[in-house]
Amino acid sequence: MYLIVNIIGLVVFLSLGVLFSKNRQQIKWKSVGIMVVFNLVLAWFLTSFPIGRSIVAGASAGFNQLVQVAYQGIAFALADWVDVKSMNFVTSSLLPILMIIPLFDILTYVGILPWIIKWIGRGLSKLTGQPKFESFFAVEMMFLGNTEALAVSSLQLQQMKAERNLTLAMMSMSCVTASIIGAYTSLMPGQFILTAIPINVINAIIITNMLNPVTVTPEEDTIATMAGSGSSASTQDVGSGSETLAEATVAEDEVPTREPFFSFLGDSILNAGKLVLIITANVIAFVALAALVDKLLGIINPWLTLEHILGIVMFPFAWLTGLNVHDAFEFAQYMGTKLVTNEFVVMGKVTGTINQFAPHYKAVLTVFLTSFANFSTVGMIIGCFKGLVNRQKNDVVAKNVGYLLLSGILVSLVSAATVGLFVW
């Protein structure tokens, strides 16, 4: 019975994308169908086949090893934070970011990560039939994160029409950053974290194609590159995700001098430190504010809490992922908490007990949490666009806050329901 409910739920979640579409006539149904089937096969392969499970388990183990290596650096400076029976949240999950982000930045500096993004993006564009840049951007988000991917794509954003800018903004709600996966896998089942990431990439393209279908002509389906001395720009059909990743078309003597490696590394470490502080501040503030809201609501009725209210609102969607009533109500509370705070708040709550959950519940909860889709991300995205594009294009994004939230929620639900089909 629960499998049937899960199947119905997946259909309902996809149907909501059609229901709220800005232009149903322009939806590319063939492309959507191909991507849905591909995602189902990918989820089946990664969760049900020994080789698929081995790939995911190996990737998860790799990230966990990175975290263990990071602990050595943390222990050197803060031994009394590491050599304890139970490390606190900041030490166990956030401080490893200080090593992992510079590692990914180094891979970018030497050209390995741009090369990976380029070829995966090309394959994704061929498979999905979507415009080149949207496909590259989906892959960029998987490795770089939302604001970082937007920042390195500034030239492309300036040259694209406002409707495509909105598509990218909506896609940005559903990403994670590769450099933060180690923090996720230290809190939640790594096999489902690593399964969710590629599933989210495809679903972000599916949902945005439904909610905001945009016709892109062959002339518009280009990748922006820098031309001349860098003061002017042109668009050329090259295989890259952004102007910073594009194959160079400028003369060798016009290429800007590369930043010295150790200067680059120093900036990367500082940025990693800022991210740790930002996440820590957000978690502390959101948990405290939620507690304050609960305290005020408790004056009205002791049962009345933010989680209970959100649980009632989100319950139908949680139940449609194929859970029993008890687990669905609990999951609904976690869903609501994640949307108004962030994924780390919920992960911190369940990390000690999630391995006791039923396999299906464990899978759908972990996959749903594996994204940046929450209210604060909306503000980050709008702020990023404000600094990258003109006022007209930024206004289009800012006026569609509801679509940004809807996109992030639907992608998380579709991904959870897709993976949940194969884990019982």
Side-chain angles (χ1 to χ4, degrees):
M1 171 189 169
Y2 291 123
L3 175 60
I4 295 174
V5 173
N6 195 154
I7 294 171
I8 294 172
L10 180 58
V11 173
V12 169
F13 300 149
L14 290 170
S15 299
L16 288 173
V18 179
L19 178 64
F20 289 97
S21 175
K22 286 178 173 290
N23 190 337
R24 297 186 189 94
Q25 285 71 35
Q26 288 191 18
I27 296 176
K28 299 177 181 178
W29 293 109
K30 180 180 178 181
S31 176
V32 168
I34 290 172
M35 288 186 285
V36 170
V37 171
F38 176 79
N39 242 4
L40 289 170
V41 172
L42 180 61
W44 184 35
F45 173 74
L46 293 177
T47 58
S48 304
F49 286 80
I51 184 172
R53 290 195 297 267
S54 296
I55 291 171
V56 172
S60 176
F63 276 102
N64 286 332
Q65 285 299 313
L66 282 178
V67 172
Q68 293 302 318
V69 172
Y71 286 155
Q72 296 181 30
I74 300 168
F76 177 79
L78 303 164
D80 56 335
W81 288 22
V82 176
D83 299 327
V84 293
K85 185 176 180 180
S86 179
M87 285 185 283
N88 61 48
F89 169 74
V90 172
T91 305
S92 64
S93 302
L94 299 186
L95 290 185
I97 292 173
L98 293 173
M99 186 206 76
I100 297 174
I101 284 183
L103 173 62
F104 276 89
D105 283 346
I106 290 170
L107 292 176
T108 300
Y109 186 88
V110 299
I112 294 175
L113 197 56
W115 184 86
I116 294 172
I117 290 172
K118 178 177 70 175
W119 287 104
I120 295 179
R122 281 180 173 175
L124 193 59
S125 179
K126 292 288 186 183
L127 172 71
T128 63
Q130 293 298 303
K132 294 183 181 68
F133 185 75
E134 279 78 344
S135 299
F136 293 127
F137 185 77
V139 181
E140 281 185 333
M141 288 194 307
M142 183 168 63
F143 289 99
L144 304 179
N146 45 22
T147 54
E148 294 87 347
L150 288 170
V152 301
S153 306
S154 58
L155 179 60
Q156 185 79 34
L157 297 175
Q158 293 162 14
Q159 296 183 355
M160 288 166 54
K161 55 189 176 184
E163 292 78 10
R164 290 181 73 188
N165 276 199
L166 177 58
T167 294
L168 300 182
M170 292 163 63
M171 290 173 67
S172 299
M173 292 292 296
S174 305
C175 77
V176 297
T177 307
S179 56
I180 214 170
I181 294 173
Y184 285 173
T185 57
S186 69
L187 295 167
M188 304 291 284
Q191 69 270 32
F192 297 129
I193 295 287
L194 272 299
T195 300
I197 291 169
I199 299 294
N200 275 347
V201 169
I202 304 296
N203 280 331
I205 299 175
I206 293 172
I207 295 301
T208 53
N209 182 274
M210 289 180 172
L211 292 175
N212 186 47
V214 179
T215 299
V216 179
T217 66
E219 293 76 22
E220 294 173 322
D221 191 13
T222 57
I223 304 296
T225 63
M226 298 304 293
S229 62
S231 59
S232 60
S234 65
T235 54
Q236 298 183 20
D237 187 10
V238 298
S240 169
S242 71
E243 73 278 9
T244 60
L245 303 178
E247 296 168 344
T249 58
V250 298
E252 184 174 347
D253 59 348
E254 294 176 324
V255 176
T257 304
R258 195 182 214 187
E259 183 180 7
F261 175 75
F262 285 103
S263 173
F264 165 85
L265 183 60
D267 288 341
S268 174
I269 294 170
L270 286 175
N271 289 332
K274 291 177 184 177
L275 181 60
V276 170
L277 290 174
I278 290 169
I279 295 174
T280 302
N282 272 275
V283 169
I284 292 171
F286 277 124
V287 171
L289 288 171
L292 176 60
V293 172
D294 286 345
K295 185 74 85 174
L296 296 173
L297 291 171
I299 297 173
I300 303 172
N301 187 308
W303 181 89
L304 204 58
T305 66
L306 190 60
E307 287 191 347
H308 285 160
I309 294 172
L310 294 170
I312 293 171
V313 173
M314 301 300 293
F315 175 77
F317 304 103
W319 182 75
L320 283 170
T321 61
L323 297 173
N324 61 52
V325 172
H326 176 270
D327 288 345
F329 186 70
E330 185 178 65
F331 180 33
Q333 294 177 71
Y334 292 145
M335 291 166 65
T337 301
K338 189 247 185 181
L339 293 174
V340 298
T341 58
N342 59 50
E343 69 278 12
F344 281 109
V345 173
V346 181
M347 288 180 178
K349 288 185 176 183
V350 303
T351 186
T353 58
I354 190 166
N355 287 325
Q356 301 169 20
F357 292 2
H360 181 72
Y361 184 18
K362 186 192 305 184
V364 296
L365 174 59
T366 303
V367 172
F368 184 87
L369 294 178
T370 308
S371 80
F372 292 161
N374 56 57
F375 289 106
S376 61
T377 298
V378 173
M380 291 172 58
I381 292 170
I382 292 175
C384 191
F385 269 92
K386 190 171 185 179
L388 296 174
V389 298
N390 61 36
R391 182 173 180 177
Q392 178 188 7
K393 292 180 179 179
N394 181 69
D395 285 348
V396 171
V397 175
K399 289 177 181 177
N400 284 276
V401 168
Y403 271 89
L404 266 65
L405 284 170
L406 180 61
S407 173
I409 293 170
L410 285 181
V411 170
S412 294
L413 286 171
V414 171
S415 294
T418 299
V419 175
L421 283 174
F422 307 103
V423 182
W424 295 94

